[in-house]
Amino acid sequence: MLKQFKMGTKIITGIDALSTIQTLSLKSVLIICDPFMLENGLAPKIEQLLKDKNIGCTIFSEIIPDPTIDVVTKGLLAAINLSPDGIIALGGGSAMDAAKVIRHMYRTAEKDASVQLICIPTTSGTGSEVTSFAVISDPQNHSKYALVDEQMVPDLAILDPVLTVSVPKDVTTDTGFDVFTHCMEALASTDATDFTDAASEKALQMIWKDLVPVVNDGENLALREQVHNASCLAGIAFSEASLGICHSLAHALGGQFHIPHGRANALLLPHVIRYNAGLELEKEIPSLVTYQRIAKSLGFQAGTAKATVHAMINGVNRQLKQLEISPLITDHGIDSEEFLAAIPEMAVKAMDDKCTITNPRKPSLQELEQLYKRLLRGGY
């Protein structure tokens, strides 16, 4: 079967990479960010850098966590009123996802394909600065929609680790484990290629080595740069290979209970690895070999393929313990009865999620429900 790999985003990385925005050949820019980027002075700083080069600038700072359809609509109106030739997404995944959808809708509405999208991530997690993916929420239906369109791929990503130094410990933890999950699922995806494997395996090793240290020493710029680059590499990988049911389940869980996305992935991943590798089955399935290869890349090796994957899952659980992430869903502010009641609907949404298509093992609705129920028991 023929497969393809493409990389449409120019990437600038390193300390003081932010200064390169003054080299942009733009006339008018819409900065899309959350209110905190306005309050902490980063959005005004970028506004000033642009104005110093006679580039007009307007700030739209109404982005919220898990951006909604209403917020995207407001951002689209801001773009239509300004008619920019550039959009800068500043912040975490929420700002970048919203900006990608806003730019795509603006291009469609105004029939103007020339509007550039520049992403400046301030967290190391989503990899959204290089992907065709965006996740938009619908609070009325307690849903998250994973959108995929090549027209949403950003033109430029600016990775400046200095911008991540002030990120709180819990956010560094959650976004970092999102990176780890991106790598794991891209490697196991049915659409994985040698090219995506190269990016995701490198990023997996980087985040595995550096996540706990950077959580414990957030002002270490060398560690911040490594984790920031790992996040982008993982984005390059899963933008082409896609993901799997860990993300499908996490999207539905986050839509229902508003748990941070990276934390949802962290709770689910050990159970998803166990299921995808078929550790509960008497016979071995093809994806077991894939997970054995992943485990070996992280330094795990035991007598059999199943034992090797078991060792990796134990290692993941040890790292989660170091990161102070409890395996029990009830330890994350979610009532057990409410969670049980929501499982059937969440499982349906996970089954319909685009990420489920490329999962290495085709799940039934009942199997997805069982994966959710494991979060009430902890362990794996």
Side-chain angles (χ1 to χ4, degrees):
M1 182 171 64
L2 294 177
K3 294 184 178 181
Q4 64 174 346
F5 179 83
K6 56 196 175 300
M7 182 59 226
T9 306
K10 180 180 179 181
I11 300 168
I12 299 174
T13 181
I15 295 171
D16 197 36
L18 185 62
S19 63
T20 60
I21 64 170
Q22 291 191 315
T23 66
L24 300 175
S25 299
L26 298 171
K27 296 178 181 177
S28 177
V29 170
L30 177 65
I31 297 176
I32 295 177
C33 63
D34 61 36
F36 180 69
M37 291 294 122
L38 204 57
E39 294 164 11
N40 72 2
L42 187 52
K45 178 181 178 180
I46 292 175
E47 180 183 32
Q48 191 59 53
L49 286 171
L50 293 169
K51 287 183 176 179
D52 287 347
K53 292 297 181 180
N54 297 315
I55 301 172
C57 181
T58 297
I59 299 173
F60 174 76
S61 62
E62 297 185 39
I63 299 302
I64 59 174
D66 301 325
T68 62
I69 296 168
D70 286 345
V71 168
V72 168
T73 302
K74 289 181 182 178
L76 174 60
L77 291 174
I80 290 172
N81 289 334
L82 182 64
S83 297
D85 59 348
I87 292 175
I88 290 179
L90 174 67
S94 295
M96 290 186 285
D97 283 7
K100 286 156 79 170
V101 177
I102 290 166
R103 196 270 297 256
H104 183 43
M105 292 173 67
Y106 177 79
R107 279 174 153 183
T108 303
E110 300 297 306
K111 296 180 173 56
D112 182 2
S114 64
V115 182
Q116 292 186 52
L117 177 59
I118 301 99
C119 286
I120 307 175
T122 59
T123 61
S124 306
T126 66
S128 188
E129 67 272 11
V130 290
T131 76
S132 58
F133 285 68
V135 179
I136 301 299
S137 296
D138 181 357
Q140 290 185 336
N141 294 317
H142 301 290
S143 297
K144 283 187 176 184
Y145 301 111
L147 310 176
V148 186
D149 194 306
E150 293 302 325
Q151 298 302 313
M152 292 197 296
V153 175
D155 300 290
L156 174 65
I158 297 175
L159 309 181
D160 192 330
V162 175
L163 305 184
T164 70
V165 169
S166 62
V167 174
K169 204 170 182 178
D170 60 335
V171 177
T172 300
T173 297
D174 292 340
T175 54
F177 209 86
D178 195 18
V179 176
F180 185 78
T181 309
H182 288 156
C183 298
M184 188 72 67
E185 294 216 286
L187 283 164
S189 167
T190 56
D191 277 357
T193 68
D194 290 341
F195 304 96
T196 61
D197 281 356
S200 49
E201 188 170 305
K202 174 64 175 178
L204 184 75
Q205 292 167 349
M206 291 167 71
I207 198 70
W208 179 256
K209 178 174 68 72
D210 291 332
L211 180 55
V212 172
V214 83
V215 167
N216 293 329
D217 183 12
E219 294 187 2
N220 186 317
L221 269 179
L223 289 174
R224 285 288 189 185
E225 184 168 3
Q226 284 290 289
V227 171
H228 215 34
N229 288 345
S231 174
C232 188
L233 275 169
I236 291 170
F238 84 77
S239 187
E240 294 298 297
S242 192
L243 297 162
I245 59 171
C246 190
H247 269 77
S248 303
L249 294 162
H251 289 152
L253 177 58
Q256 183 69 33
F257 291 104
H258 310 292
I259 187 171
H261 176 63
R263 187 143 302 209
N265 277 326
L267 294 171
L268 288 158
L269 186 61
H271 306 289
V272 169
I273 295 172
R274 177 184 183 274
Y275 168 77
N276 277 345
L279 298 189
E280 83 284 8
L281 302 175
E282 290 186 10
K283 65 176 183 179
E284 295 188 354
I285 59 176
S287 53
L288 173 63
V289 176
T290 301
Y291 282 98
Q292 181 187 29
R293 176 172 56 84
I294 296 170
K296 286 182 177 179
S297 76
L298 292 177
F300 295 99
Q301 176 69 64
T304 66
K306 284 190 175 184
T308 299
V309 178
H310 271 297
M312 177 174 69
I313 295 173
N314 288 334
V316 171
N317 282 326
R318 284 193 298 272
Q319 187 159 115
L320 290 175
K321 188 174 182 178
Q322 289 179 286
L323 294 168
E324 299 180 353
I325 298 177
S326 169
L328 290 169
I329 192 72
T330 48
D331 286 342
H332 299 273
I334 297 174
D335 179 78
S336 59
E337 291 186 7
E338 289 182 20
F339 180 70
L340 272 173
I343 283 177
E345 184 180 354
M346 290 194 299
V348 169
K349 289 175 180 176
M351 182 66 82
D352 292 338
D353 194 291
K354 289 181 181 294
C355 296
T356 301
I357 297 169
T358 46
N359 195 68
R361 186 176 171 188
K362 300 306 174 189
S364 67
L365 200 59
Q366 185 180 23
E367 287 171 332
L368 293 180
E369 290 180 1
Q370 288 301 316
L371 285 167
Y372 276 131
K373 288 176 181 176
R374 288 184 176 276
L375 299 187
L376 290 167
R377 302 199 295 271
Y380 77 92

